Amino acid sequence: MKRSAMTALLYRLGHLCARRRLLVLGLWLIVAVGLGAWTAHHHTETNDNVSLPGTGSQRAADVLNHDFAAAANGTNPIVLQAPAGTTISAPAQRAVVERVTAAYAHDPAVLSAVGPFDPGGAAQLSRDGRIATISLELRDGPTKLTDDAAQALLDVAQPARAAGFAVAAAGYLGNDLSAPGSGSSEAIGLLAAIVVLLLTFGTVVAMGLPILSALFGLAIGLGLITVLSRIVQVPSAAPALATMIGLGVGIDYALFVVTRHRAELATGLEPHEAAARATATAGGAIVFAGSTVVVALCSLLLTGIPLVGQLGVVAALTVLVAMVAAVTLLPAALALVGRRIDALPLPHHRTRDRRSERSVNFRSLGDQDSTLIGTQPGPTPPRSGRSARDAHQPTPAPAARGWSRWAHAVTAHPWRALVTAVVLLAILALPLRTLHLGQSDNGQLPRDTTARQAYDLLSEGFGPGTNGPLLIAARIKAQTATAPATLARLRAALAATPGVAAVSPPLLDARGDAALLTVTPTTAPSAPATATLVHRLRDDVIEPATRGTGVTAYVGGSTAGFIDLAHQISVHLPLVIAVVLALSFVLLLLAFRSILVPLKAVAMNLLSIGAAFGVVTFVFGHDWSSRLIGIDGTSPIVAFVPLMMFAILFGLSMDYEVFLMSHVREAWREHGDARGAVVDGLTATARVITSAALIMVAVFAAFLLDGNPTIKQFGLGMAAAIAVDATVIRCLLVPAILTLMGRRAWWLPRAIDRVAPPISIEGDAWFAERDALAAPLEAAAPEREPAPLA
């Protein structure tokens, strides 16, 4: 009994939540409403500043923050395009521009406003005279600027729009106004999940319980993220990423608990006991898999990259809330619903479910209710050989016969299945050869956003490099008389470098110990040529021009920062992979008492993730495929997306690994037939795995409608990985490999077996032992006389 302490704890927790169901539901409701009310008056403060200790971009940022505080956040250009057939310099248009510039200069939210006709503003007018910018320095930085304040600033330029000008905002002002919402993605993903759950359970009430659990978990998770944003920096992609993961994982976890609960009810248990047992068994697997996800995401802190670590913590928080909801909120809701869980059935499920649920032969979590895996009653197979097993095998219900035939076909020809799966995965992973890590720019945003419109206008009037200038921050040692000559020489060297469109004159701070130059590339911020330029400036231009002069210069700015981020991630990725792989191997070894099974799981997960990376690389690397998902032209893979996807998907795939292999091991222990165990396991779990995976794929794929290219990459990558994992991996490659392994799949060296502590994920052994101890006591107890009728 000691080996299943987690099962006992979850069982008591499930009983407590079932007994105190109104209190538990009330507490969840109070927390959700309280956080919702607080977040209604406090927006989530997001910040995409890339802090990379020890890199050139970080050293440049340190100089800017210390000596050029006003320039640290950058300027916010208001981009104006004159009406067709006119120029900015025409008297009427010039008057409008000067009036708008003056209005910005007197706005209390603006520190300074420089227009194209102001001293020092000549460079803000395009060569053809049709496009100009008003450069704004704002009082509020990107974390303090609210949506209403940003809109009010853009509205100051309304007179220009009324005069026929095209007006758009760039900088963090434009980004704040262009933050794409994920409301439609959430709605579509939720609708798809409802359809799948209806087909899976066949009743409206059973369908609604996973949706309820996921929505409560998501609301509280997003509220906690808003609170967290007041304490630490939260990246702008975090809320959408949390929504994606919260919906997918929340529904997925609840699906398994509700399925187990219905199967327990079908054996005659009371709703309270069924809910407690579902919490202890399915909940045990959820806690196991969910904890793996949380640890994998928190391991991103090991990279030492704040942006990546922050995203990992936010995503882990969402998974943690979904996991807690599945083992506390859901048991309370199940107890409250009771046997009405099958109320409001779909017409074709009304009679079939009742007949088949009474015939469930329930042995482990893999044995779900008949809407998923029904079986006809039959004797328990003996532990003898293959022929005895075949003689007593329960006859599968129609819902399972298709998967049974598939399982027999795969195990009968394992080499054919293995080769087919490997070829498919290799084809999907092939585009990885052209993987380019970088950072998407505003050129990939929807055309109706002000940031995208500003990007296009700046590219047209001043070149694409204007959207991502490089900041050269120089530190000057005291008593360096040659500094002016050195800075002049540095500027000339920068201007002569291929790929540089313009270099501003050096700007000195008040003390004269720091200087700032702005370099405008000829290429867009996300272009590979821009990354090449940054490396060339650092290695071949700046260092020779400043060597031995007392001047030390660094290449900074957001563009250089994301280039450094891509390099840092490529350096730290092997460490994260090693930590996650080692954790998964150890946990699966303890759970399944095998060496080959965890090795196989690690290899399979790597294959599915590699295929997903290949799909993302291909789609975003071609014009025609990028346009299919709403992006104009190709886009690099955002540097932190592969790292985040690896941590998330490796943990999520543990769900399917645990559910499948637990049933295979149970069948192996029961009759000792390795191939038969694979057939039993796949037949019993394939449909529930594919149903759960279909929900996650639908939720993740719905976020392709999000306007943020980074969220699109997450959605496509995770949808592709889950789809591959639940089909090619679990239903083709895994059964083929297990069949080829045979009895060797369950081999564990005796030395390891003696020292490795046994753990039980689902706790079926704990219940078997508990029920066996309770049976003699129940048999010895005298029967009570029935109470007399009143």
Side-chain angles (χ1 to χ4, degrees), residues 351-543:
T351 57
R352 187 186 69 180
D353 288 352
R354 286 300 180 191
R355 288 199 305 267
S356 57
E357 280 179 359
R358 288 192 292 269
S359 66
V360 172
N361 180 17
F362 194 82
R363 295 194 302 269
S364 72
L365 181 61
D367 297 299
Q368 310 298 334
D369 66 6
S370 62
T371 61
L372 299 176
I373 318 161
T375 59
Q376 300 300 328
T380 300
R383 295 182 62 86
S384 56
R386 175 74 181 174
S387 59
R389 175 187 171 278
D390 289 342
H392 299 286
Q393 179 66 24
T395 304
R401 288 174 186 164
W403 285 113
S404 178
R405 288 194 295 269
W406 175 265
H408 278 288
V410 172
T411 56
H413 306 283
W415 281 110
R416 184 184 303 172
L418 176 64
V419 172
T420 301
V422 170
V423 170
L424 287 174
L425 294 172
I427 292 174
L428 291 175
L430 196 60
L432 274 176
R433 297 178 300 113
T434 60
L435 174 65
H436 167 53
L437 295 180
Q439 176 65 24
S440 61
D441 54 37
N442 290 342
Q444 280 91 44
L445 290 176
R447 291 183 178 274
D448 59 353
T449 60
T450 188
R452 170 62 188 274
Q453 293 165 1
Y455 180 96
D456 291 341
L457 289 174
L458 288 173
S459 298
E460 178 184 346
F462 305 95
T466 311
N467 292 285
L470 305 175
L471 302 179
I472 310 299
R475 176 71 67 195
I476 304 171
K477 290 184 178 180
Q479 309 299 325
T480 305
T482 59
T486 301
L487 293 175
R489 187 167 61 252
L490 174 61
R491 184 191 181 197
L494 292 171
T497 304
V500 172
V503 182
S504 70
L507 174 65
L508 292 174
D509 73 329
R511 296 185 303 272
D513 58 0
L516 174 65
L517 299 91
T518 301
V519 175
T520 303
T522 58
T523 50
S526 62
T530 305
T532 302
L533 174 63
V534 169
H535 295 304
R536 182 184 299 121
L537 293 179
R538 288 172 172 168
D539 300 335
D540 303 330
V541 179
I542 294 178
E543 201 280 330

Side-chain angles (χ1 to χ4, degrees), residues 81-103:
Q81 184 181 39
T86 65
T87 64
I88 298 289
S89 300
Q93 280 67 44
R94 175 168 180 159
V96 172
V97 172
E98 289 178 334
R99 186 164 65 251
V100 171
T101 303

Side-chain angles (χ1 to χ4, degrees), residues 178 254 294 301 308 310 343 354 364 452 596 600 669 736 770 779:
S178 304
V294 170
L301 292 170
V308 174
Q310 292 153 8
R354 286 300 180 191
S364 72
R452 170 62 188 274
L596 296 181
K600 179 268 305 172
R669 287 179 170 179
R770 176 180 178 274

Side-chain angles (χ1 to χ4, degrees), residues 573-637:
L573 183 60
L575 174 62
V576 175
I577 292 176
V579 170
V580 175
L581 292 182
L583 171 68
S584 303
F585 177 83
V586 172
L587 290 177
L588 291 174
L589 184 148
L590 296 177
F592 295 112
R593 318 299 295 176
S594 168
I595 291 291
L596 296 181
V597 166
L599 282 177
K600 179 268 305 172
V602 167
M604 297 303 98
N605 290 339
L606 287 175
L607 287 173
S608 65
I609 292 172
F613 287 172
V615 171
V616 174
T617 302
F618 178 85
V619 171
F620 284 84
H622 295 80
D623 285 332
W624 66 270
S625 52
S626 295
R627 295 181 189 281
L628 292 177
I629 58 174
I631 294 180
D632 294 332
T634 62
S635 173
I637 306 304

